[in-house]
Amino acid sequence: IVKDANKKLGAARQVMEKNGADMLERKVQVVRDAYAETKANNIFEVQKLKDEMQANERRQTELWTGKVKAMAQEVQNMQSQMQQQAKTFQATMEAAKSGSASQVSELMQRHQSEVRALEEAHSRALAAVRNELGGDVAR
């Protein structure tokens, strides 16, 4: 009976050891599965975050590229406008210079005409005074 009980206890111990090892293996497998699932979820989240960051970077690049292009176009337009205004100013200055020269020339001619007219009027008046004086002297 004791031998039989020892055999049964040995068999029970083997079953328990086997069950314990199997239990331990199952627990290890559960931990491995949980780790693998957590790792897969984390990799998915990291990839999702990476994709979102790349999309955001593309949007920002497009936005700022558009803004820089618009500013460059605005600067170019302002530069063209400035060049046109400089040409207009230069043409106006030259016209003013030539206009001033022609106005001065015209004023000089008018002045000379008036001076001649005054000289002639003075000469006539002087001749008339001489004639009067000459007539008085002759009398």
Side-chain angles (χ1 to χ4, degrees):
I1 293 183
V2 174
K3 285 184 183 180
D4 189 39
N6 279 338
K7 277 186 184 178
K8 286 183 182 179
L9 281 175
R13 187 179 310 141
Q14 285 178 350
V15 169
M16 284 180 61
E17 285 176 1
K18 185 179 177 187
N19 284 342
D22 286 344
M23 182 79 81
L24 184 59
E25 263 185 55
R26 276 188 249 134
K27 286 182 179 181
V28 168
Q29 189 60 41
V30 167
V31 169
R32 283 183 181 161
D33 291 345
Y35 172 77
E37 184 179 344
T38 302
K39 180 179 173 183
N41 287 339
N42 289 339
I43 288 173
F44 175 76
E45 289 296 321
V46 167
Q47 186 61 43
K48 182 179 170 185
L49 181 61
K50 184 178 175 183
D51 292 344
E52 287 174 4
M53 289 173 67
Q54 286 175 342
N56 187 37
E57 185 176 352
R58 276 192 303 276
R59 280 192 305 272
Q60 291 296 322
T61 300
E62 289 171 5
L63 172 73
W64 286 104
T65 300
K67 286 183 179 185
V68 167
K69 284 181 181 178
M71 283 180 63
Q73 183 64 42
E74 187 177 337
V75 167
Q76 188 176 20
N77 290 343
M78 291 173 102
Q79 188 177 24
S80 297
Q81 183 181 9
M82 181 194 69
Q83 289 173 347
Q84 183 62 36
Q85 288 175 346
K87 286 179 184 177
T88 302
F89 178 74
Q90 185 67 29
T92 302
M93 288 301 291
E94 288 179 17
K97 283 181 184 177
S98 67
S100 295
S102 67
Q103 287 176 348
V104 168
S105 175
E106 184 181 323
L107 285 174
M108 291 284 288
Q109 288 175 356
R110 257 195 278 158
H111 177 70
Q112 288 174 356
S113 297
E114 289 175 8
V115 167
R116 274 189 236 115
L118 288 172
E119 284 176 349
E120 289 174 8
H122 179 66
S123 293
R124 283 191 301 264
L126 190 56
V129 169
R130 280 186 190 153
N131 283 338
E132 276 183 36
L133 287 176
D136 283 340
V137 172
R139 285 190 208 169

